[in-house]
């Protein structure tokens, strides 16, 4: 991963050198709108999440504009694809930053792209990163809304050990930093709960045959599998897992299995499948219910299902509004000075930024009849951020 970080940093420098001799934020002195660049996956393995991300962003922007905008200005959104390689995402981000001169970025994409973008921005433009991730991001000007392993796994693994009597864990994910770093944290939580890791492997995004992995899981004697596969790979793996009969041997815990992924897996393939998240569309709260009602009224009953990743984009827009209001401006340095303690209201509840992250309630849900049913709530779980 150090090589990838070097390459993305080098790509950032090369792109900027090609476009401008200096990387200086320029803004119209009397801009008529506040411009948001929104980087979401419109292609690639995470493209499954893109439509709900776009819908939720549009909802937030429409609501804010109807209520007077941000600092009295209407919000204008510019979308770009972040579903490809870091180099492709960089090109798209430079187009928005240098071409459209956006005031801030909201990103719902993988951690490899995040690393490329923080190298590109260098704290000179506010950047709100919204999805679940591996933790540890402290780059200047970057604000993180997503769940960390300390939130998704630290309370959940001992709960499953106690209530489902599991102790032998197999870890499987795609081969990049989010799965690897998440599993590094998971090993500590498993050990603390009295369990053991009996297998671990990482697969390329292009993997579409899981027979070898399933045979390894069966032979390992695992009674629990932690899944950090992304999008279509997760769908294919979980279908094959059930067809192989492994759902009788082991339960599954996913930290990126949301409503759209579950729909792809299918109810018949989801026995003993759990998901850990800060949001499900059917969590029992008035704010969440009202949000879901507005979403389906706007986009129709056949819209992409609400999920944590899509909803995180909605929160990202509202966090930027809260930051701009606290700072009384959109300049990166003003927002950085005013960011600690910035709060906003979310379908998840009231959210407050602390050390660039957010403590939050975490829900453990089980797939039942094609839907997630929350079986346990862990309140106000700390992000584990060590940023100063």
């Amino acid at each position: 991963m150090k090589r990838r970080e070097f390459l993305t940093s080098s790509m950032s420098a090369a792109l900027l050198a090609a476009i401008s001799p200096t990387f200086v934020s320029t803004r119209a002195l009397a801009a008529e709108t506040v411009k948001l660049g929104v980087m979401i996956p419109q292609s690639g393995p995470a493209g499954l999440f893109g439509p709900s991300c776009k819908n939720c962003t549009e909802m937030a922007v429409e609501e804010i504009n109807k209520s007077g905008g941000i600092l009295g200005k209407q919000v204008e959104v510019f979308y770009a694809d972040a579903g490809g390689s870091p180099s492709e995402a960089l090109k798209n981000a430079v187009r928005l930053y240098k071409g459209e001169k956006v005031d801030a970025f909201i990103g719902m994409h993988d951690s490899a792209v995040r690393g490329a973008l923080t190298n590109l921005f260098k704290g000179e433009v506010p950047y709100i990163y919204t999805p679940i991730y591996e933790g540890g991001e402290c780059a200047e000007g970057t604000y993180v809304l997503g769940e960390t392993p300390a939130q998704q796994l630290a309370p959940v693994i001992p709960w499953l050990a106690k209530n489902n009597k599991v102790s032998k864990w197999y870890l499987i994910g795609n081969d990049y930093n989010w799965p690897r770093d998440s599993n590094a944290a998971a090993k500590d939580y498993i050990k603390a709960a009295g369990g053991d890791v009996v297998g671990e492997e990482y697969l390329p995004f292009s993997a579409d045959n899981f027979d070898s992995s399933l045979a390894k899981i069966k032979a390992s004697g695992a009674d629990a599998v932690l899944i950090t596969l992304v999008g279509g790979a997760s769908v294919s793996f979980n279908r094959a897992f059930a067809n192989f009969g492994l759902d009788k041997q082991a339960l599954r815990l996913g930290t990126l299995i949301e409503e759209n992924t579950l729909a792809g897996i299918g109810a018949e393939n989801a026995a003993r499948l759990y998901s850990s998240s800060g949001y499900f569309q059917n969590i029992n709260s008035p704010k969440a219910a009202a949000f879901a009602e507005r979403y389906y009224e706007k986009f129709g009953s056949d819209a992409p299902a609400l999920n944590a990743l899509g909803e995180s984009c909605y929160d990202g827009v509202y966090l930027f509004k809260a930051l701009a209001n606290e700072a009384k401006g959109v300049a990166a340095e003003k927002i950085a000075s005013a960011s600690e303690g910035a709060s906003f209201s979310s379908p998840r509840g009231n959210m407050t930024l602390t050390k660039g992250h957010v403590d939050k309630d975490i829900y453990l849900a089980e797939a039942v009849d094609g839907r997630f049913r929350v079986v346990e709530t862990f309140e106000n779980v700390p992000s584990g951020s060590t940023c100063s």
Side-chain angles (χ1 to χ4, degrees):
M1 298 314 301
K2 291 185 182 297
R3 179 174 180 272
R4 171 175 279 182
E5 290 169 5
F6 170 78
L7 289 173
T8 55
S9 179
S10 299
M11 287 186 290
S12 301
L15 279 167
L16 292 171
I19 292 172
S20 173
T22 56
F23 186 41
V24 178
S25 171
T26 56
R27 299 287 181 268
L29 294 178
E32 296 179 356
T33 61
V34 172
K35 295 182 176 181
L36 282 182
V38 178
M39 306 284 294
I40 57 176
Q42 298 170 322
S43 62
L48 177 68
F49 313 129
S52 60
C53 290
K54 190 171 187 291
N55 284 354
C56 289
T57 302
E58 288 182 4
M59 273 186 68
V61 170
E62 182 179 282
E63 291 171 4
I64 288 171
N65 283 341
K66 284 183 177 179
S67 66
I70 293 176
L71 301 173
K73 298 178 180 180
Q74 294 289 282
V75 179
E76 188 176 6
V77 180
F78 298 82
Y79 294 97
D81 185 15
S85 67
S87 61
E88 291 169 336
L90 275 173
K91 292 177 184 177
N92 293 334
V94 170
R95 175 176 57 81
L96 296 190
Y97 188 76
K98 302 299 289 185
E100 302 295 347
K101 295 181 170 57
V102 300
D103 295 292
F105 279 86
I106 293 170
M108 204 310 291
H109 45 69
D110 70 33
S111 294
V113 170
R114 187 192 74 251
L117 295 186
T118 56
N119 284 330
L120 174 70
F121 299 146
K122 300 186 186 304
E124 296 182 16
V125 61
Y127 171 40
I128 297 171
Y129 186 64
T130 71
I132 67 169
Y133 89 118
E134 67 279 359
E137 180 58 82
C138 298
E140 183 180 358
T142 299
Y143 310 97
V144 180
L145 282 175
E147 298 90 318
T148 65
Q151 292 171 315
Q152 288 186 289
L153 297 175
V156 167
I157 286 175
W159 190 95
L160 289 171
K162 177 182 178 181
N163 291 277
N164 293 73
K165 311 302 181 188
V166 296
S167 62
K168 297 178 181 179
W169 288 81
Y170 196 101
L171 317 180
I172 185 167
N174 286 122
D175 191 7
Y176 72 109
N177 49 336
W178 170 63
R180 287 184 175 275
D181 292 348
S182 295
N183 286 343
K187 291 174 187 177
D188 290 335
Y189 306 140
I190 290 168
K191 183 178 180 180
D196 296 298
V197 174
V198 296
E200 179 179 8
E201 66 175 307
Y202 299 93
L203 305 173
F205 285 116
S206 58
D208 59 3
N209 186 310
F210 300 96
D211 289 354
S212 175
S213 299
L214 297 171
K216 292 175 186 176
I217 293 170
K218 184 175 180 61
S220 74
D223 53 23
V225 179
L226 176 59
I227 301 167
T228 48
L229 296 165
V230 177
S234 181
V235 170
S236 298
F237 172 80
N238 278 286
R239 284 177 173 174
F241 188 96
N243 290 333
F244 209 75
L246 281 174
D247 52 350
K248 299 175 179 62
Q249 173 181 321
L251 64 77
R252 288 164 283 174
L253 171 63
T255 52
L256 194 61
I257 298 178
E258 42 66 75
E259 283 81 352
N260 291 292
T261 306
L262 179 60
I265 294 168
E268 68 278 12
N269 300 314
R272 304 179 72 204
L273 174 64
Y274 291 84
S275 178
S276 172
S277 179
Y279 174 84
F280 293 97
Q281 71 168 331
N282 61 352
I283 55 177
N284 185 22
S285 79
K287 286 183 178 179
F291 174 67
E293 183 177 357
R294 295 196 307 276
Y295 178 88
Y296 288 109
E297 280 182 359
K298 179 174 177 61
F299 298 108
S301 59
D302 59 348
L306 269 176
N307 60 88
L309 301 175
E311 191 278 336
S312 76
C313 295
Y314 180 92
D315 286 350
V317 179
Y318 272 96
L319 174 58
F320 179 65
K321 178 183 178 180
L323 290 169
N325 286 342
E326 288 287 336
K328 297 181 173 55
V330 298
E333 62 273 15
K334 288 185 177 181
I335 283 180
S337 297
S339 62
E340 186 69 12
S343 297
F344 66 100
S345 179
S346 160
R348 305 178 187 224
N350 293 325
M351 310 276 274
T352 300
L353 201 65
T354 305
K355 296 183 178 180
H357 290 70
V358 176
D359 297 347
K360 63 182 65 177
D361 291 350
I362 295 294
Y363 304 93
L364 176 63
E366 183 177 8
V368 179
D369 297 329
R371 297 176 181 271
F372 282 121
R373 177 174 61 85
V374 174
V375 296
E376 187 63 56
T377 301
F378 306 94
E379 296 183 355
N380 200 35
V381 182
S383 70
S385 169
T386 57
C387 303
S388 57

